[in-house]
Amino acid sequence: MPSENLTRTTEFITAELNFQYVEIMSERGRAELGLTGARIGGGAALAMRNDPTGGGWNKTIGLGFTEPVTEKLIGEVVDFHREHGSPSAQIQLAPEVLPADWDDICAAYGLTAGDATVKLVGDVDDFKPGHTDLRVGRVGVEDAEEWASMLEEVFGLPEQFNSSLVAAVGRPDMLTFAAWDGDTMVAGAGLFLFGEFASLHNGATRESHRNRGAQSALLTARAQAAAESGVRWLFSDTGKPAEGESNPSLNNMIRSGLTPMYDNQSWIWRPEGNTTAG
């Protein structure tokens, strides 16, 4: 598959996955967080007015493929975040969709470069299995609360996300997995299925059980389930490490056969002192 199609697909799946987690959150949870989702320019925009991270959950993903990134489109995104009270917001863009006048657009809306994530892809047939001494398997509805609580704890998620994570368990398009040490759940992960494509996400391990191969084994379990579901391409992303530093999650993915495609740069909007360009 041409690389541009892989980029388009991974951006779309990332946007769709984020939007789905908003839709399956309880109404009470969305109200408490002031969480709103919208589809803008072919992407997904999420605004969380009461974001305990100060803005990390306010983001717009997947722009630039159904329509070009323009000053007008970025204006729509900024207006959405301003209208819904985002304390700040990330606009995440693949490098190939940046327009020639991107510097001018950044200046118009006060956008500054933030952190980047590494987007990875792999052919399911080329996946290299990993191993652990822990027991690894699918999470059933009987374990949904434990799985959700563990991910909430490890990621430091707002408690309202518990309802989204619980609702994900048992959905045919969101397969959930865990690793157990005896009867204790110590790691978890998710798989979002979309035709021939799947997203590997929500990989988390309790600090007490890191460096025991849990995530490599969970990558393997998800790749096997994806293959059984007819998936051809696996996608994932993780934080880009700073110069001279390492990201264990990125290393695990590369060892498993996933290949970095590109860095997805985030651009930060803050409402202070901003005016709508035009």
Side-chain angles (χ1 to χ4, degrees):
M1 175 178 289
S3 60
E4 63 270 18
N5 290 339
L6 287 174
T7 302
R8 176 193 296 266
T9 303
T10 190
E11 289 293 317
F12 174 81
I13 289 177
T14 302
E16 187 62 25
L17 177 61
N18 277 265
F19 203 86
Q20 287 294 321
Y21 269 112
V22 171
E23 289 196 324
I24 63 178
M25 183 181 288
S26 67
E27 290 186 16
R28 177 180 177 181
R30 288 198 298 270
E32 289 177 351
L33 291 172
L35 179 60
T36 304
R39 299 186 189 277
I40 300 175
L46 309 179
M48 186 185 290
R49 185 175 61 254
N50 303 319
D51 185 348
T53 69
W57 288 100
N58 291 266
K59 61 184 70 175
T60 299
I61 305 167
L63 301 177
F65 293 97
T66 61
E67 63 178 89
V69 175
T70 61
E71 184 172 323
K72 179 177 181 294
L73 177 59
I74 297 302
E76 292 177 24
V77 171
V78 167
D79 287 346
F80 167 80
H81 286 292
R82 182 181 287 115
E83 176 186 353
H84 293 285
S86 296
S88 66
Q90 303 176 47
I91 302 173
Q92 299 178 0
L93 298 171
E96 67 187 62
V97 305
L98 291 176
D101 62 344
W102 180 243
D103 287 346
D104 294 334
I105 294 174
C106 287
Y109 292 103
L111 305 182
T112 56
D115 295 334
T117 58
V118 182
K119 293 283 190 175
L120 303 99
V121 65
D123 189 317
V124 72
D125 292 335
D126 296 332
F127 191 88
K128 301 175 179 65
H131 306 282
T132 182
D133 61 323
L134 303 168
R135 175 170 60 91
V136 174
R138 288 279 298 276
V139 172
V141 292
E142 68 278 4
D143 294 318
E145 288 284 355
E146 184 180 8
W147 184 80
S149 296
M150 185 198 61
L151 265 62
E152 181 185 338
E153 175 188 331
V154 174
F155 286 133
L157 297 173
E159 62 181 359
Q160 292 84 356
F161 271 82
N162 187 275
S163 63
S164 287
L165 295 169
V166 169
V169 178
R171 281 180 51 138
D173 59 342
M174 290 186 176
L175 308 186
T176 48
F177 299 79
W180 289 263
D181 186 357
D183 294 329
T184 303
M185 188 181 294
V186 297
L191 179 71
F192 181 51
L193 301 173
F194 200 89
E196 288 190 320
F197 309 94
S199 168
L200 304 157
H201 64 281
N202 278 349
T205 305
R206 293 188 188 278
E207 187 173 358
S208 60
H209 284 73
R210 290 173 186 168
N211 301 314
R212 290 181 59 176
Q215 283 306 319
S216 292
L218 284 167
L219 284 168
T220 299
R222 287 179 287 171
Q224 291 173 345
E228 292 167 2
S229 299
V231 166
R232 169 74 187 280
W233 298 99
L234 299 170
F235 296 114
S236 194
D237 58 26
T238 188
K240 180 181 179 180
E243 188 71 28
E245 296 183 3
S246 177
N247 179 346
S249 294
L250 177 60
N251 297 340
N252 286 336
M253 292 176 191
I254 292 174
R255 278 195 298 269
S256 296
L258 301 186
T259 301
M261 284 195 296
Y262 59 93
D263 294 342
N264 190 308
Q265 179 68 55
S266 65
W267 301 88
I268 310 301
W269 170 82
R270 293 180 176 84
E272 297 84 0
N274 256 304
T275 58
T276 302

